[in-house]
Each structure stands twice: as C-alpha cells, then as structure tokens.
Amino acid sequence: MARKIIHLINGGLRNIGGLNLKEIKFSENVAKIDTSGIRKIFEAAGSDAINLGLGQPDFDTPEHIKAAAIKAINEGFTGYTIGSGIPELREALSLKFKEENGFSVSPQEIIVTSGASEALAIALATLLNPGDEVLISNPGFVSYNALTEILNGRAVSVPLAEDLTMKPEAVLEKITPKTRAIVLNSPSNPTGAVSSRADIKALAEIAEDHNITILSDEVYEYFIYEGEHVSPASYSDNVITVNATSKSYAMTGWRLGYVAARAEYIGQMLKVHQYIQACANSVAQKAAYAAVTGPKDSVNAMKEEFRKRRDVLVKGLNELGMECTLPKGAFYAFPKVSDSAEVASKLISNGVIVVPGTAFGSEGDGYIRISYAASMKDIEKALNIMEKVL
C-alpha cells in the first residue's frame, strides 16, 4: 500500500479501467498537471492508519455555528443568495478586517466564496493572461502552481530562506516584465513558517514599485505561536486577501471562504465567480456569520492545543535525529529527512501517514510534512513507530 501511494504521488494514474482514451483531446494545461499528492494519500490511506498527512483540525465545528446552520435550514434559507454573499456576513467581514488585520474594505469589496480554493482560482483568473508569471514559494501549497498553469500562467519558483520564509531579495531576483502576481502564505503550508512584519512590508513595497499584485493566503492567521500575523493589505492596495472559516472554526467541509480587495479587483473577480459558482452555499454563509461574529473560545482552545502538540512533536522529531525547525504557525512540522519518498513510504508501511516534501515542489525534496492536527495520543504513538522504523 505504501509503495502504491508514493507511486501515485510521483507518477499519477495512467490508465483507468483499461480504457483507451488516447484519441480524446484534453486540455494541455490540465493534462500536464497531476492530482494533489495530499489528496492521493488521504483517499488511499487505510482507516486504521495514524493520519498525520491531512491539514484539517480534528475538532468538531462549534455548537453555536452548527445551531445557526440548523436554524437556516429550518427557516428555509436554502436558495440562491446575492452573488457576492449575504450582506450581514460581508459587513461582519469588513469589520473583522478593520479590527484584526489593520486595513479597510467596504462590504462591497468582499466576495464570499466556496472555500479559499475558489477565492484563489477567481483571483488568478482575473489577473492572468497567457504566459504571465506568478511568483510562488518552493516548497509551497500545492494549489498555487496547479491553478496558475490551468489558467495559462507560468509558475515561477522562489526558493525559501533558511527560516523557510519567502524573502524580499529572493522575490526581486525573480521579477520580470511578465510578473503579474506574488503568492504569499503566512502562516505557511507546508512549513508552518511565519513571515516577519519587515518582510511583509518590503514585499508590499515591491508590489507597488513593480505594479504587481500580492495574493495573500491567510487561512491560518489565528494559529500563530511565535511572531505575529501581518496582512500585506495593511501596507498596500495591490493586494488580494484570501481567507476562510475552514481552519479557524473547524469548518473545512462547509466550503466557505472569502476574498477582499479594492473595487477594481472585485468587479473583475465577481464576473468569474458568478459564472463558475453563482454564490456560496446559503446555509454555510449563515454558519460563517455566526462564526465571525460569535465567541472565539473555540479558536483559542484549538490554538493552545495545537501549541502543545507542536512542542511534543518537534521535541520528539529532534530526539530521533530529524532536524526540525520549530514552526511558528499553522499546524505543520517540516522536518529534514534523507529521502522524502523513502521515509514517507516506510512510515506509511508502518501505519503513519505523512506527505513527502516533493508534493509541495522540487525544493521540498529532503523534507516531509507532518500535520499535528491529530490527537496527542496519535502523535505520541506515531513518534514511537518512527523510533522503531527510521
């Protein structure tokens, strides 16, 4: 099973059911990308395995959020909504950005989307013409490269610094006349790194100087253990901010995200959103309103539990001889290993699911990603297995 999973990551499925589809003309952009290595592991893993490969909080959605959704269903709030999202949710998000993120957008400068994934897609669709370049951290989250290539853009890798963050000087080296966007993800998936305020400010200045847009993915903003969360939109208007309720409120399956930017951006993104989605899930929007305006007790409790798990995991990894920088945010550790595929395969064979670093880009070779969005019991059990097999 382990070898099969790693093979799926590295090679993908070539034949399905023995059918010969050679004569079908598929999109070259789609054909040249592979399916997500994370999803392959998730869907192929056995039910009895310890899953440290999935970026999903192992907490239930808070009760007041579920109650709001149930109320919406019982009241028949199950039809289409305004394309950009229900007004009260966008008003609440506008206030959230002002109070928590240090920048102002009106409710009309926000679109509620079907998860952060849709927000990323409509943002890139709005920005890119064929051949336009997007600067993306390597390693970085799997969607950024794939979406760029699907949309006829060119993903340009920016290697990370020793602290696993994207540095302004590294970005400057990659800028060309075709550069249209920089994708920034802090706290980061897969590394758990948090960019400094100085670096965020410098990147915002670079975006303004070169008339480039920063696409800022901030879905892990509440899970920071050292450092601070800084939104680049607090320094520049050349920013599209993407976020979601998925991680913060344990709502991954609700598929509720949102995007904020100046009206010029939003006007173009709204056109794409209307044609591919029409509107986000009506019931999930009511639930998201309850999440954004309600108590943050559950968020704080998750954060403190993740911190405890992080400390146990990183201490255990280092004691096993795996060099692992202490992640400052999100819920991922990114330890160095001798061979990503070999180590991941050994662990999967012994019932511990991790993701080889190569799933996140060429520079991820020599790392594995471990999610500590799993119980402390599972983390400790996984460390014991690692000690025996590595």
Side-chain angles (χ1 to χ4, degrees):
M1 174 61 76
R3 290 186 179 277
K4 179 181 178 183
I5 293 174
I6 296 300
H7 170 70
L8 289 177
I9 293 170
N10 291 333
L13 291 172
R14 302 301 179 193
N15 297 298
I16 302 174
L19 296 177
N20 184 355
L21 300 178
K22 289 182 180 179
E23 311 221 345
I24 302 292
K25 298 295 184 182
F26 295 107
S27 160
E28 292 180 4
N29 292 338
V30 175
K32 71 182 180 183
I33 65 170
D34 198 4
T35 51
S36 164
I38 303 171
R39 297 302 305 182
K40 287 174 185 176
I41 285 180
F42 173 58
E43 291 167 9
S47 59
D48 57 343
I50 300 171
N51 196 335
L52 304 184
L54 193 61
Q56 170 171 264
D58 62 319
F59 295 86
D60 193 13
T61 304
E63 290 300 323
H64 70 284
I65 298 174
K66 292 193 287 187
I70 292 167
K71 183 173 184 288
I73 292 170
N74 288 336
E75 291 179 352
F77 192 73
T78 55
Y80 291 124
T81 71
I82 296 171
S84 55
I86 58 176
E88 61 266 36
L89 175 55
R90 287 182 289 119
E91 288 167 8
L93 291 170
S94 175
L95 183 62
K96 172 246 187 292
F97 283 124
K98 183 177 181 180
E99 293 183 345
E100 297 182 1
N101 300 92
F103 66 92
S104 296
V105 286
S106 71
Q108 291 71 41
E109 294 175 308
I110 296 169
I111 302 172
V112 182
T113 60
S114 293
S117 297
E118 190 216 336
L120 290 167
I122 65 174
L124 286 168
T126 296
L127 292 172
L128 297 181
N129 286 309
D132 284 344
E133 296 174 352
V134 181
L135 306 189
I136 300 169
S137 65
N138 185 0
F141 181 53
V142 296
S143 290
Y144 306 144
N145 288 59
L147 287 172
T148 297
E149 292 174 5
I150 288 170
L151 293 165
N152 282 307
R154 178 172 173 263
V156 177
S157 294
V158 180
L160 301 180
E162 281 296 313
D163 65 354
L164 299 178
T165 65
M166 180 188 283
K167 294 299 182 184
E169 53 270 26
V171 167
L172 279 170
E173 290 180 1
K174 298 289 185 175
I175 291 177
T176 75
K178 285 187 168 292
T179 304
R180 291 297 305 278
I182 305 165
V183 179
L184 180 62
N185 178 212
S186 176
S188 166
N189 177 9
T191 67
V194 176
S195 295
S196 69
R197 178 174 291 275
D199 283 349
I200 297 284
K201 183 179 180 182
L203 289 167
E205 291 171 351
I206 289 170
E208 297 225 335
D209 291 344
H210 294 268
N211 197 26
I212 296 169
T213 300
I214 291 177
L215 183 51
S216 182
D217 182 350
E218 304 183 14
V219 297
Y220 297 99
E221 66 171 337
Y222 290 139
F223 301 133
I224 294 183
Y225 319 108
E226 283 85 31
E228 60 180 331
H229 178 67
V230 182
S231 293
S234 63
Y235 290 108
S236 172
D237 286 341
N238 286 33
V239 179
I240 298 173
T241 303
V242 170
N243 211 323
T245 58
S246 300
K247 314 293 184 180
S248 301
Y249 301 97
M251 293 175 65
T252 54
W254 297 71
R255 308 314 303 137
L256 199 290
Y258 48 95
V259 59
R262 292 298 164 218
E264 293 81 0
Y265 287 114
I266 291 295
Q268 299 303 312
M269 283 189 282
L270 188 57
K271 289 189 286 187
V272 186
H273 170 69
Q274 287 174 337
Y275 286 116
I276 67 171
Q277 192 59 38
C279 66
N281 180 291
S282 60
V283 173
Q285 288 188 62
K286 287 289 189 178
Y289 177 76
V292 173
T293 60
K296 295 292 189 290
D297 297 356
S298 62
V299 179
N300 295 329
M302 279 196 291
K303 175 182 173 180
E304 289 312 307
E305 180 60 25
F306 287 146
R307 184 200 302 271
K308 293 175 185 175
R309 296 174 185 178
R310 175 201 67 163
D311 293 346
V312 168
L313 175 63
V314 173
K315 181 175 182 289
L317 292 173
N318 282 309
E319 287 176 350
L320 291 174
M322 279 193 252
E323 182 183 341
C324 185
T325 301
L326 187 70
K328 294 181 178 180
F331 36 69
Y332 307 107
F334 205 59
K336 291 182 179 180
V337 295
S338 56
D339 183 293
S340 296
E342 181 183 353
V343 170
S345 181
K346 279 185 179 180
L347 291 175
I348 292 168
S349 295
N350 286 273
V352 178
I353 306 301
V354 300
V355 183
T358 48
F360 305 97
S362 58
E363 296 294 324
D365 194 16
Y367 294 88
I368 55 173
R369 191 194 75 171
I370 302 176
S371 169
Y372 47 91
S375 70
M376 188 73 82
K377 179 181 178 181
D378 278 350
I379 290 170
E380 291 172 341
K381 185 177 178 182
L383 286 169
N384 288 332
I385 293 171
M386 289 180 190
E387 184 176 14
K388 294 174 183 175
V389 303
L390 296 180

